[in-house]
Amino acid sequence: MTYNPKDEALKKGFTMQNDHLCWDGRDLVQVAADYGTPLFVFSQRQLRQNVTDVCNAFRKLHHDTHLFYASKANSNVGVLKVLRAAGASIEVNSGGELQKAKIAGYKPEQIVFNGVAKTQEEIRLAVEYGIASINVDSEYELKQVISVAEKLCKKANVAIRVEPQVPSPTHPGLVTAYHSKAGIDMIEAPRLFKVADDHAWVNLKGIHFHVGSQVPILEPFIKATRIIVDLVKQLHSDLKIKLEHINIGGGIPIPYKMGAGDPLEDFFYAGFSEEELAAAVVPIIEELGEEIKIFLEPGRRIVGNTAVMLSRILCEKEKVLEKDVSGKVHWLMADVGFSTLLETNNYDWYFLIASVNRFEEVHNKPFKLAGPLCDGGDYYHGADHVPEFKQLPSKTAPGDVIAFMDVGAYTLEQMFQYNGRPRVGAVLLGGDDQVIPIRRKDTFGDLIAQDIWDFI
Ligand SMILES: Cc1ncc(COP(=O)(O)O)c(C=O)c1O
């Protein structure tokens, strides 16, 4: 298969004007010139669209569906506010995310809280605020929740996270329902649900599971839903426990790679849509009755395709290609590295890369592309149609701007200041041609803000 980054970008909805890459009608060369690089550029239109699309897909089949956006994918408060205004509720994983959710205006009934190791203080925040559901991850944690609720004299809304033991063919680090650290065993579930249901300080609300992230095929969702629905039936028939909601977690994949690749072989292809997911799982869930509420926790599907990273090429060089291959390799050094796009290093993540200022030119020259960090691992590698190489226009040179696409999830969230480099800024393409800053770049003051040296 011939790989053409330009065609892939056009399929993703980017456009071209005056040879430049454009998004939502904005010339990204101009945005890079106005705001500098590296820079995250978000689309407000796409953020709204994603919430609407996922909600509609489920509500068409089951009206009482609630989308709790998984904020660990991106908890920028500006982004959280846009999503809330678009109709999303929120899933949080820490006291910090819970407080961000409050600042972004989410009401208690719009918040669920996951996590394998919540502190007493985090549980206190959640019970005090009266959130929709603390998704309890162990018996130990259930006891903690009960003790906090007792102290506050306030009932805690609780769901229990169960691990259905269903593997999925995503990145091994992203499998969460198969011998993972999260959730309780199926075998333990009836006893724990009974303890929760019987307790005076617990409002037992629901059940939770999460198959994994960027799960490329439907099958694991169907299997897991079947297992959990059967468990809920058993809880009802054996223990007379009736749950209000079933939370099917996140994991909807996005097409980092377009076209007809096999998602089973390569999880950067998305093998199904939210419509297909809803069509597959809603009938199973409705075996529990039509009044059951469905909770969803998509993160990547809501923010993944809402941002590009603009980066400038700072330097170039030619070097001898690796041993046993003759010829030279052309290296390009960009101003963004894995301190900003950690997933490239952590999980060998694939991001489509295209030229911004030479977008019209044929992207047919294989370059090795590296970031600026003083770290041998700081280059963009693997998981590509051209392993180890990135295809860009042959004239690509220092001063050019390139775009990394679909970088809205698990990126800005994971930045750090390695090598004394500032975490980068972000802007939002809003309506009426507005470009709105939503994160300022770190200053030098930010780089040293946590250090203490007046002891010497
Ligand atoms: C419990 C839970 N819910 C939701 C998500 C969001 O997953 P995704 O971003 O793949 O939709 C995650 C992430 O792994 C998670 O751990």
Side-chain angles (χ1 to χ4, degrees):
M1 184 169 68
T2 46
Y3 165 61
N4 186 334
K6 193 173 136 188
D7 285 354
E8 296 240 329
L10 293 172
K11 277 190 230 154
K12 284 177 187 286
F14 291 85
T15 54
M16 179 169 66
Q17 231 177 359
N18 305 325
D19 307 348
H20 294 174
L21 179 70
C22 299
W23 201 23
D24 286 359
R26 282 15 171 270
D27 182 331
L28 293 177
V29 172
Q30 194 57 49
V31 176
D34 291 347
Y35 292 89
T37 60
L39 179 75
F40 284 102
V41 181
F42 282 83
S43 159
Q44 184 168 25
R45 173 197 56 76
Q46 193 67 57
L47 285 164
R48 290 174 173 160
Q49 185 72 52
N50 292 347
V51 173
T52 307
D53 287 350
V54 177
C55 283
N56 285 350
F58 273 80
R59 288 189 185 145
K60 261 193 292 190
L61 300 181
H62 189 87
H63 184 68
D64 212 356
T65 299
H66 304 259
L67 189 161
F68 291 84
Y69 160 66
S71 62
K72 73 175 177 189
N74 183 334
S75 68
N76 174 277
V77 179
V79 168
L80 297 187
K81 287 188 86 166
V82 172
L83 296 176
R84 185 180 62 78
S89 295
I90 191 165
E91 181 261 2
V92 301
N93 253 280
S94 66
E97 284 181 0
L98 177 54
Q99 297 195 69
K100 283 187 174 194
K102 284 169 79 172
I103 287 173
Y106 290 85
K107 306 231 164 56
E109 63 274 17
Q110 291 182 297
I111 305 176
V112 298
F113 189 174
N114 281 304
V116 295
K118 305 177 188 80
T119 64
Q120 290 262 351
E121 176 56 14
E122 288 173 324
I123 295 170
R124 189 189 61 75
L125 277 175
V127 176
E128 221 165 47
Y129 198 44
I131 67 168
S133 175
I134 301 174
N135 295 339
V136 162
D137 204 80
S138 63
E139 181 165 15
Y140 183 82
E141 187 179 283
L142 179 61
K143 288 182 185 151
Q144 303 266 301
V145 170
I146 289 169
S147 122
V148 171
E150 240 166 0
K151 268 190 218 131
L152 294 175
C153 285
K154 185 166 181 185
K155 276 192 167 191
N157 295 325
V158 161
I160 295 178
R161 178 168 180 171
V162 178
E163 188 182 32
Q165 290 304 341
V166 172
S168 42
T170 180
H171 188 287
L174 301 178
V175 176
T176 45
Y178 192 68
H179 302 296
S180 84
K181 66 178 177 178
I184 59 155
D185 283 336
M186 289 289 294
I187 190 97
E188 282 291 314
R191 192 180 56 78
L192 208 59
F193 273 90
K194 178 88 178 107
V195 173
D197 195 45
D198 284 349
H199 207 284
W201 292 108
V202 173
N203 273 328
L204 179 61
K205 295 283 189 181
I207 189 163
H208 175 279
F209 68 95
H210 170 65
V211 172
S213 193
Q214 186 66 16
V215 177
I217 54 168
L218 265 179
E219 197 197 6
F221 287 93
I222 299 173
K223 271 193 185 155
T225 306
R226 165 53 58 209
I227 290 168
I228 296 295
V229 164
D230 286 348
L231 173 63
V232 176
K233 286 181 184 170
Q234 184 198 335
L235 294 175
H236 191 225
S237 61
D238 296 357
L239 301 169
K240 305 286 170 272
I241 292 173
K242 195 151 169 47
L243 300 177
E244 279 177 25
H245 76 252
I246 177 164
N247 185 331
I248 69 169
I252 304 173
I254 64 168
Y256 287 95
K257 292 182 181 173
M258 308 296 289
D262 182 355
L264 257 182
E265 297 289 317
D266 183 347
F267 56 78
F268 292 112
Y269 292 101
F272 65 94
S273 65
E274 52 273 5
E275 273 92 4
E276 288 165 308
L277 176 61
V281 301
V282 167
I284 305 175
I285 296 171
E286 285 189 344
E287 290 174 18
L288 300 171
E290 283 184 10
E291 66 283 4
I292 188 106
K293 293 183 202 306
I294 299 180
F295 287 8
L296 314 170
E297 292 175 352
R300 191 184 300 280
R301 172 65 185 86
I302 300 300
V303 290
N305 69 347
T306 66
V308 296
M309 158 56 59
L310 300 182
S311 166
R312 202 170 286 280
I313 304 296
L314 294 180
C315 188
E316 64 180 341
K317 66 172 93 164
E318 276 204 331
K319 293 190 82 177
V320 176
L321 208 53
E322 282 80 3
K323 51 184 173 339
D324 67 3
V325 187
S326 58
K328 297 265 185 189
V329 61
H330 195 146
W331 281 88
L332 295 173
M333 314 298 173
D335 61 3
V336 70
F338 73 67
S339 53
T340 305
L341 296 172
L342 180 62
E343 294 296 72
T344 55
N345 190 274
N346 225 5
Y347 285 165
D348 277 0
W349 211 254
Y350 168 85
F351 295 112
L352 175 65
I353 294 172
S355 174
V356 175
N357 55 304
R358 300 178 190 278
F359 184 60
E360 174 256 4
E361 295 173 27
V362 193
H363 288 51
N364 62 355
K365 177 162 175 181
F367 289 94
K368 279 211 168 188
L369 181 69
L373 301 175
C374 188
D375 190 305
D378 188 35
Y379 68 101
Y380 295 96
H381 53 101
D384 205 334
H385 299 258
V386 196
E388 299 286 316
F389 290 92
K390 297 291 174 191
Q391 278 184 215
L392 286 164
S394 59
K395 291 193 188 125
T396 305
D400 278 13
V401 178
I402 56 173
F404 294 69
M405 296 178 177
D406 302 319
V407 295
Y410 305 105
T411 47
L412 178 139
E413 200 59 27
Q414 299 186 359
M415 291 190 288
F416 55 106
Q417 296 169 328
Y418 186 36
N419 274 200
R421 289 181 184 273
R423 289 167 303 179
V424 314
V427 297
L428 179 75
L429 304 178
D432 301 330
D433 273 351
Q434 285 173 298
V435 179
I436 308 158
I438 57 168
R439 187 190 192 284
R440 72 161 170 75
K441 175 180 170 178
D442 285 354
T443 60
F444 176 66
D446 294 323
L447 286 185
I448 58 168
Q450 313 303 329
D451 295 357
I452 299 165
W453 59 83
D454 58 1
F455 60 92
I456 197 158

